Amino acid sequence: MIMNLSTCSPSSSLFRLIDSKSPVSPLSLKSKTHLSKSPYFVESNQPTSPFFHVSQSRTPFLRGKNEQFQGRSQTVKAFAIPGFDLGGFESAQPVLQAAGVLTAIIVVHESGHFLAAYLQGIHVSKFAVGFGPILAKFNSNNVEYSLRAFPLGGFVGFPDNDPDSDIPIDDANLLKNRPIFDRIVVVSAGVVANLVFAFVIIFMQVLFVGLPVQESSGGVLVPDVRPLSAASRGGLLSGDVILGINGTELQKTGPGLVTEVVDVIKNSPNRNVVLKVARGARNLDISVTPDESSDGTGRIGVQLSPNLKFSKVLPKNLVEALNFSGREFWGLSVTVLESLKQTFLNFSQTASKVSGPVAIIAVGAEVAKSNVNGLYQYAAILNLNLAVINLLPLPALDGGTLALILIEAARGGRKLPLELEQRIMSSGIMLVIALGLFLIVRDTLNLDFIKDML
């Protein structure tokens, strides 16, 4: 699994949703948290990987205060974003919840492939949740269903080129022998399943939780301060609002306020930073000396967020719920596509921010620690990213397989030589696996509690 945590790296902000007793913030995922479901197989055990990307380009499910909704409004709550520390693995329950969401999304994707094949009478030999060594399995209707050791992937296997299969190689119901349209349906069904699942998740969020409407109060909120951190030693308290830094007033509102504060702190290790803070009805100056991180940047041990409040708007009826959901689904889809575009156009700047399954689950765990309701948004974003990324015409992705089928169609039904196809797909698979392993190791070493142990 590959993910771009462009604004959610260990030293920047993570969006989190918190319950009514805590500051709340929706998960703002940029377009590229690229999930890699390594490996999932589309044809004859062909692995693929989902990629996911996180950013602050748009806050899902939020509307400005001037946008009018006719639904019922609920109580106003604060909006919070974790600031500098990626501590998603410090508690087992949120980690398991995030991993469960990720696994469910991958299962939905693979179920799309499986059902599209099954309903057309195409032979399927395997359906696996996870990858690696088999923990448990059973057979039904000549299909092996298995649970594997590593739950962050899955695959559907076809017996097309399986030397142990007793199905004749010219069987009309082998995937490779079916008409082009049938194969396109099977290969694209995983993406369709994720898109449908994303809409269902958004609809459930709108219907049962409500549509948040945001209002900015200015400044940068400090929802949490770690004990014994630089911020705590300097006297910064949870609930403080940062109005200025080093004598410079922050803008009243704006999407870059958190980044502005983060950048100053990161660039000031072991140097005094003066924060102008609003605490209740008082304004005061607080001096903080950021500790130096292992990468040489400063950190003060706080969570930061735009100082926003939001109220939840519940739809009055089913039609309004569908309308809200459709608008959010479209808005999130556009954001995902735009962010992916920007990622490719500025790859030299974004490549270092690509992260793997460890970081994906860390983000989800941060959301789950605050409020399980936040997993709605987390799951919707992952589904959309997985769908979009898998349509890219790259080897080992659904889009790569579709590209080969379309080339076959353009050649009048003549397939590329089998050896050439296998070489193309094998190269993509090896690249994905190598990149995935690298990112898993790197992201694990970047976790705060791992850094503390080293």
Side-chain angles (χ1 to χ4, degrees), residues 1-25:
M1 301 184 181
I2 301 170
M3 173 180 189
N4 187 329
L5 296 172
S6 57
T7 59
C8 297
S9 60
S11 59
S12 64
S13 348
L14 290 172
F15 287 86
R16 64 188 292 188
L17 283 158
I18 307 175
D19 61 24
S20 60
K21 298 179 181 179
S22 310
V24 183
S25 98

Short mmCIF file of all heavy atoms in Angstrom, two decimals, residues 1-25:
data_model
loop_
_atom_site.label_atom_id
_atom_site.label_comp_id
_atom_site.label_asym_id
_atom_site.label_seq_id
_atom_site.Cartn_x
_atom_site.Cartn_y
_atom_site.Cartn_z
N MET A 1 0.83 -1.19 0.00
CA MET A 1 0.00 0.00 0.00
C MET A 1 0.86 1.24 0.00
O MET A 1 1.79 1.33 0.76
CB MET A 1 -0.87 0.02 1.23
CG MET A 1 -1.74 -1.16 1.29
SD MET A 1 -2.79 -1.03 2.67
CE MET A 1 -3.64 -2.54 2.48
N ILE A 2 0.51 2.16 -0.82
CA ILE A 2 1.31 3.37 -0.96
C ILE A 2 0.42 4.57 -0.76
O ILE A 2 -0.67 4.63 -1.28
CB ILE A 2 1.98 3.41 -2.33
CG1 ILE A 2 2.87 2.17 -2.49
CG2 ILE A 2 2.79 4.66 -2.51
CD1 ILE A 2 3.39 1.97 -3.86
N MET A 3 0.90 5.51 -0.02
CA MET A 3 0.08 6.64 0.37
C MET A 3 0.90 7.91 0.35
O MET A 3 2.06 7.90 0.71
CB MET A 3 -0.44 6.37 1.78
CG MET A 3 -1.17 7.50 2.42
SD MET A 3 -1.70 6.99 4.06
CE MET A 3 -2.73 8.34 4.52
N ASN A 4 0.29 9.00 -0.08
CA ASN A 4 0.98 10.27 -0.03
C ASN A 4 0.38 11.11 1.09
O ASN A 4 -0.70 11.62 0.97
CB ASN A 4 0.84 11.01 -1.35
CG ASN A 4 1.67 12.26 -1.38
OD1 ASN A 4 1.90 12.89 -0.37
ND2 ASN A 4 2.13 12.61 -2.55
N LEU A 5 1.10 11.21 2.18
CA LEU A 5 0.64 12.01 3.31
C LEU A 5 1.24 13.40 3.20
O LEU A 5 2.01 13.83 4.03
CB LEU A 5 1.06 11.35 4.62
CG LEU A 5 0.45 9.99 4.88
CD1 LEU A 5 1.09 9.37 6.09
CD2 LEU A 5 -1.03 10.10 5.06
N SER A 6 0.86 14.10 2.16
CA SER A 6 1.54 15.34 1.87
C SER A 6 1.44 16.36 2.99
O SER A 6 2.33 17.15 3.18
CB SER A 6 0.99 15.95 0.58
OG SER A 6 -0.38 16.14 0.69
N THR A 7 0.33 16.37 3.70
CA THR A 7 0.23 17.32 4.80
C THR A 7 0.05 16.61 6.13
O THR A 7 -0.26 17.23 7.12
CB THR A 7 -0.95 18.27 4.59
OG1 THR A 7 -2.13 17.49 4.50
CG2 THR A 7 -0.78 19.11 3.38
N CYS A 8 0.24 15.32 6.13
CA CYS A 8 0.02 14.58 7.35
C CYS A 8 1.23 13.75 7.72
O CYS A 8 1.11 12.66 8.24
CB CYS A 8 -1.20 13.68 7.20
SG CYS A 8 -2.71 14.57 6.92
N SER A 9 2.38 14.25 7.44
CA SER A 9 3.58 13.56 7.82
C SER A 9 3.77 13.67 9.32
O SER A 9 3.11 14.43 9.98
CB SER A 9 4.78 14.15 7.09
OG SER A 9 4.90 15.49 7.39
N PRO A 10 4.70 12.92 9.90
CA PRO A 10 4.84 12.94 11.34
C PRO A 10 5.04 14.32 11.93
O PRO A 10 4.76 14.54 13.09
CB PRO A 10 6.07 12.05 11.57
CG PRO A 10 6.07 11.13 10.42
CD PRO A 10 5.53 11.91 9.27
N SER A 11 5.53 15.25 11.16
CA SER A 11 5.80 16.56 11.74
C SER A 11 4.79 17.60 11.31
O SER A 11 4.98 18.77 11.55
CB SER A 11 7.19 17.01 11.32
OG SER A 11 7.29 17.06 9.94
N SER A 12 3.74 17.21 10.65
CA SER A 12 2.73 18.19 10.28
C SER A 12 1.39 17.80 10.84
O SER A 12 1.29 17.04 11.76
CB SER A 12 2.69 18.38 8.78
OG SER A 12 2.31 17.23 8.12
N SER A 13 0.30 18.37 10.29
CA SER A 13 -0.99 18.18 10.93
C SER A 13 -1.78 17.03 10.39
O SER A 13 -1.79 16.78 9.24
CB SER A 13 -1.84 19.41 10.79
OG SER A 13 -1.19 20.49 10.33
N LEU A 14 -2.47 16.36 11.29
CA LEU A 14 -3.40 15.30 10.92
C LEU A 14 -4.78 15.79 11.28
O LEU A 14 -5.00 16.30 12.35
CB LEU A 14 -3.10 14.02 11.71
CG LEU A 14 -1.83 13.29 11.35
CD1 LEU A 14 -1.62 12.17 12.35
CD2 LEU A 14 -1.91 12.74 9.97
N PHE A 15 -5.69 15.57 10.36
CA PHE A 15 -7.06 15.93 10.67
C PHE A 15 -7.69 14.84 11.52
O PHE A 15 -7.50 13.67 11.26
CB PHE A 15 -7.87 16.10 9.39
CG PHE A 15 -7.53 17.34 8.65
CD1 PHE A 15 -6.49 17.36 7.75
CD2 PHE A 15 -8.26 18.49 8.85
CE1 PHE A 15 -6.17 18.50 7.08
CE2 PHE A 15 -7.95 19.64 8.18
CZ PHE A 15 -6.90 19.65 7.28
N ARG A 16 -8.47 15.23 12.49
CA ARG A 16 -9.13 14.21 13.29
C ARG A 16 -10.53 14.66 13.68
O ARG A 16 -10.79 15.83 13.85
CB ARG A 16 -8.31 13.88 14.53
CG ARG A 16 -8.15 15.01 15.48
CD ARG A 16 -7.18 14.69 16.58
NE ARG A 16 -7.68 13.69 17.48
CZ ARG A 16 -7.07 13.37 18.60
NH1 ARG A 16 -5.95 13.94 18.93
NH2 ARG A 16 -7.56 12.44 19.38
N LEU A 17 -11.40 13.71 13.84
CA LEU A 17 -12.75 13.98 14.31
C LEU A 17 -12.86 13.60 15.77
O LEU A 17 -12.44 12.52 16.16
CB LEU A 17 -13.75 13.15 13.50
CG LEU A 17 -14.00 13.73 12.12
CD1 LEU A 17 -14.54 12.65 11.23
CD2 LEU A 17 -14.99 14.87 12.19
N ILE A 18 -13.40 14.46 16.55
CA ILE A 18 -13.50 14.22 17.98
C ILE A 18 -14.96 14.31 18.39
O ILE A 18 -15.75 14.96 17.74
CB ILE A 18 -12.65 15.25 18.74
CG1 ILE A 18 -11.23 15.24 18.16
CG2 ILE A 18 -12.62 14.98 20.21
CD1 ILE A 18 -10.35 16.28 18.75
N ASP A 19 -15.31 13.64 19.48
CA ASP A 19 -16.71 13.62 19.87
C ASP A 19 -17.13 14.95 20.49
O ASP A 19 -16.37 15.89 20.57
CB ASP A 19 -16.99 12.45 20.83
CG ASP A 19 -16.17 12.57 22.10
OD1 ASP A 19 -15.77 13.69 22.44
OD2 ASP A 19 -15.95 11.54 22.75
N SER A 20 -18.35 14.98 20.96
CA SER A 20 -18.92 16.24 21.40
C SER A 20 -18.22 16.83 22.61
O SER A 20 -18.37 17.99 22.91
CB SER A 20 -20.40 16.04 21.74
OG SER A 20 -20.55 15.09 22.75
N LYS A 21 -17.43 16.04 23.29
CA LYS A 21 -16.73 16.56 24.47
C LYS A 21 -15.35 17.08 24.12
O LYS A 21 -14.65 17.58 24.98
CB LYS A 21 -16.61 15.45 25.51
CG LYS A 21 -17.96 14.95 26.02
CD LYS A 21 -17.77 13.83 27.01
CE LYS A 21 -19.11 13.30 27.51
NZ LYS A 21 -18.95 12.20 28.46
N SER A 22 -14.96 16.94 22.87
CA SER A 22 -13.63 17.33 22.47
C SER A 22 -13.69 18.16 21.22
O SER A 22 -14.66 18.18 20.51
CB SER A 22 -12.78 16.08 22.19
OG SER A 22 -12.88 15.17 23.25
N PRO A 23 -12.57 18.86 20.90
CA PRO A 23 -12.53 19.56 19.63
C PRO A 23 -12.67 18.57 18.49
O PRO A 23 -12.15 17.49 18.54
CB PRO A 23 -11.14 20.20 19.63
CG PRO A 23 -10.74 20.24 21.06
CD PRO A 23 -11.40 19.08 21.71
N VAL A 24 -13.36 18.97 17.47
CA VAL A 24 -13.61 18.06 16.35
C VAL A 24 -13.03 18.59 15.08
O VAL A 24 -13.07 19.76 14.82
CB VAL A 24 -15.12 17.91 16.14
CG1 VAL A 24 -15.41 16.92 15.04
CG2 VAL A 24 -15.77 17.48 17.41
N SER A 25 -12.47 17.71 14.27
CA SER A 25 -12.06 18.14 12.95
C SER A 25 -12.28 17.07 11.95
O SER A 25 -11.97 15.93 12.19
CB SER A 25 -10.60 18.49 12.94
OG SER A 25 -9.86 17.44 12.47
#
